[in-house]
Amino acid sequence: MASSQAYLLGLLILICSTSIGTAKHMKYKNSTLPVEIRVNDLLKRMTLAEKIGQMTQIERKDASADVMKNYFIGSLLSGGGSVPKPQASAEDWVDMINDFQNGCLATRLGIPMIYGIDAVHGHNNVYGSTIFPQNIGLGATRDPDLVKRIGAATALEVRATGIPYTFAPCIAVCRDPRWGRCYESYSEDQKIVQAMTEIIPGLQGDVPANYQKSYPYVAGKNNVAACAKHFVGDGGTHNGINENNTIIDYHGLMGIHMPAYYDAVYKGVSTVMVSYSSWNGVKMHADRKLVTGFLKNKLQFKGFVISDWQGIDRITSPPGANYTYSVQAGVSAGIDMIMVPENYVEFINDLTLLVNKKVIPMSRINDAVRRILRVKFIMGLFEKPLADLSLADQLGKKEHRELAREAVRKSLVLLKNGKSKNMPLLPLSKKVSKILVAGIHANNLGYQCGGWTIEWQGASGNITIGTTILDAIKATINPTTNVVYSENPDANFIKGNNFSYAVVVVGEPPYAETNGDSSNLKISDPGASTIQTVCGAVKCVVVIVSGRPVVIQPYISSIDALIAAWLPGTEGQGVADVLFGDYGFTGKLPRTWFKSVDQLPMNIGDKHYDPLFPLGFGLTTKPASKS
C-alpha cells in the first residue's frame, strides 16, 4: 500500500514538474521576455494552417467559436452596421467578443484573435456612443491637440465594448470633393493631414522616449491599435471616383499623398490598410514596390499591413474573376492580414495551395505572421485576451460629449457675415420675439452625423443619442423667444409671422464610399428652394451640413450669413454655442470652396486657382458680451 502511494506521489511530481518545465520552455507565454523572443518562439511552434489562420480576418456574422477554433482565425471585424443586436449595450459587445475569443483560446497554442472596427469619428457603429465631427471638420479646427484628445476619448469608448483595434485614422489627402470619401480626409493640404496624425498617439498612447522607431506601440488597456489608411493615393483618384486610378508621377505621390505615412509610422502606428485605388494603373493591393519596397523596407514599418474589405478580390476586373491569382498577388505584394471577410475557406485553401506549390515562399508567410504576432504581443492580448466591462461607463461619457461639442465649435467656418462688412448678422440675438428655423437638416441627427454612423451609409432621423441643431437652438435662446420650425416654408407663411431672423440648415444626405461620389455636388432637395424662399423674405443665416464644399454660389447674394458646419456629429449644441456668440468663430477652410464644379479638380497652388473661398479662409468673431 505504502509503495503504491509513493509511486502515485512520484508520478504526480513528475507530471507537475513536466508541466512546469513545458510552460517554462514556452517562451511566448512569458510576459517578462522581449516581444521578439516571444514572437520567434511562437512562430517556430506553428503549423502552416495556424499561420494562414492568423493572416485571415473574417466578418463577425460569418464567425462562431467553432470557426475560430477549427480554422485558427487570427482576426474578426465588424463591417459598417454589423452589431450583436440593435442598440447593443457594452455588455452585449463584450459577451459576443469573448465567445469568439474563447474559441481561439481553445486551440493548441491559444493564440488570441484581434477584433477590429471602423471607429472613424468616435465609436460610430455603437448606439449611444459619442459621435465626433467627421475628419473634414477636424481639419477645419487646425488643432492637433484637440484631435489627439478625441483619439484618446475614442479609444476609451472602443475599449468600453471590449474592442482593441480601430481602422482609423484615414490620412487621405482629398484632391477632389467629388470623391465620396472626401469627408474622411482632413484636408487637401498634406501638411494639415500630417499635423492631424496626432490622433494616432491619442488612440494608441504616446510612444515612450528611446522607443524603437517605426515599431508598433499600444500603451495599455485604455488604448487601441490604430490603422493608417488607405495606402496610398486614395484621395487623388481621377475625377474623384472612388477606387479609381490615381494618375500622378512619383514626385507628386511622394510630395502629396505619402508624407502623412512618414508621420504615422514615426508615431508607432500598429497597422496600415491598403487602398482599393490604383497608382498609374497598378492596383495598390498588388503593388509590391510600394507596399513592401517603400512602406516596409524604406519606411521600416514593423506593424502589419491589412487589406481593405474584399480588397484582394478587386485586383482583377471584374472582382473575383481569378481569386487564386488575387491571393497570390495580394500576399506577394506584402499584405499580411487579408480582410476576406466572408469566403474564408476559399482564401485559406488557395493560400495553402500556393505555399505548398512554392508559388508563395514560406518566408513571406513568416513575415506576415511575425508582424501580426508582434502587434498582438505589444497590445498585451496574450496576457489579457478576454474583454471585460471595466470601461463600460466610458461609452457616451459626459466629458467625451463636451469634447465633441468643443470640436464642433472649433470646426465651424464662417464664410459670410452680413451683406456688408458694417452690418454683421452674427452673433445672433438670443432675445427676440420670434425666429424661424428651416431646412431638412435642422432636426435630423442622422443627417448631422453623416455616413459611417450606426449604419455603413448612415441613416436619417434619431439613429442614436444626441442633440440636433434645432434642439440646441431651443436650449440656447431666451425662454421668451418663440422658435418656429418648418422644414420648407412658403413665402406667405414667412411674411405672415414677422420673424426677427431665420436659421436655415441644409446640406447633403448621409453617404459612404462610392455611394457618395457626386458629379454635381448639389445640396439635397428642397435645400436650394428653402434658401431662396426664406432668405428672400427675412434676414437669414444658412448653415451647410455637408461632407465637402457644395454648390452655393448661385444663392450667396441672398444669404446674410453663411456657415460651413461639415458633419458635426451628435453634439449639435456646439453649433448653437457659436451662432449665438457664447464662443467666437475660429475655423478655417480645410479645402478650397469652388465657384462651379466645372473648375474641379482645383487645389491651392493650381494655375487655374479661382475659388469662391480659398483654402484657409474663415471669418472670425469674438464672443458676444455676457451682459
Side-chain angles (χ1 to χ4, degrees), residues 338-365:
I338 311 297
M339 193 184 291
V340 181
E342 293 151 355
N343 59 334
Y344 57 90
V345 175
E346 184 182 3
F347 168 73
I348 289 169
N349 288 343
D350 282 4
L351 184 52
T352 303
L353 180 69
L354 288 164
V355 175
N356 286 335
K357 286 189 169 183
K358 296 184 167 47
V359 176
I360 294 178
M362 200 67 199
S363 59
R364 172 74 273 270
I365 302 299

Side-chain angles (χ1 to χ4, degrees), residues 86 115 132 160 189 237 274 304 307 393 399 405 420 439 514 549 560 565 614:
Y115 197 104
F132 293 93
D189 182 347
T237 56
V274 180
F304 68 79
S307 81
D393 64 344
E399 288 84 350
R405 182 174 170 181
S420 72
T514 304
D560 292 279

Side-chain angles (χ1 to χ4, degrees), residues 491-535:
N492 290 332
F493 174 82
I494 298 167
K495 289 173 184 174
N497 269 282
N498 195 28
F499 294 112
S500 299
Y501 56 78
V503 179
V504 181
V505 191
V506 294
E508 295 186 297
Y511 55 80
E513 301 191 49
T514 304
N515 286 2
D517 286 357
S518 172
S519 59
N520 59 49
L521 294 177
K522 290 181 178 178
I523 59 177
S524 302
D525 288 334
S529 63
T530 304
I531 291 172
Q532 289 170 315
T533 301
V534 175
C535 296

Side-chain angles (χ1 to χ4, degrees), residues 35 100 184 250 270 302 350 395 413 445 504 524 563 587 591:
V35 165
F100 293 133
E184 296 184 57
Y250 183 80
S270 295
K302 296 296 192 295
D350 282 4
L395 195 65
V413 180
L445 197 61
V504 181
S524 302
I563 298 164
R591 60 172 313 101

Side-chain angles (χ1 to χ4, degrees), residues 136 139-142 186-189 192 411-415 549 564 566 586-594 609 611-619:
I136 191 169
T141 70
R142 301 295 201 276
Y186 294 106
S187 180
E188 73 188 47
D189 182 347
I192 295 170
S411 71
L412 302 177
V413 180
L414 181 58
L415 300 173
W566 315 113
T586 59
K588 302 296 179 187
L589 281 182
R591 60 172 313 101
T592 300
W593 204 295
F594 57 87
Y609 197 69
L612 183 61
F613 301 106
L615 174 78
F617 181 83
L619 302 173

Side-chain angles (χ1 to χ4, degrees), residues 39 103 179 456 496 508:
V39 170
W179 185 40
W456 172 41
E508 295 186 297

Side-chain angles (χ1 to χ4, degrees), residues 248-319:
I248 194 171
D249 62 18
Y250 183 80
H251 177 76
L253 187 77
M254 292 296 138
I256 296 171
H257 299 285
M258 192 65 80
Y261 286 94
Y262 283 88
D263 295 72
V265 171
Y266 181 79
K267 291 172 181 177
V269 74
S270 295
T271 73
V272 171
M273 185 183 290
V274 180
S275 177
Y276 286 130
S277 58
S278 304
W279 176 45
N280 293 337
V282 178
K283 291 278 188 180
M284 285 305 311
H285 275 76
D287 196 326
R288 180 173 170 79
K289 287 182 180 178
L290 283 175
V291 176
T292 295
F294 195 88
L295 178 62
K296 289 184 172 181
N297 295 343
K298 186 172 178 63
L299 295 189
Q300 298 186 326
F301 172 63
K302 296 296 192 295
F304 68 79
V305 177
I306 187 168
S307 81
D308 208 332
W309 177 285
Q310 295 179 332
I312 63 166
D313 304 52
R314 290 171 160 110
I315 289 172
T316 60
S317 183

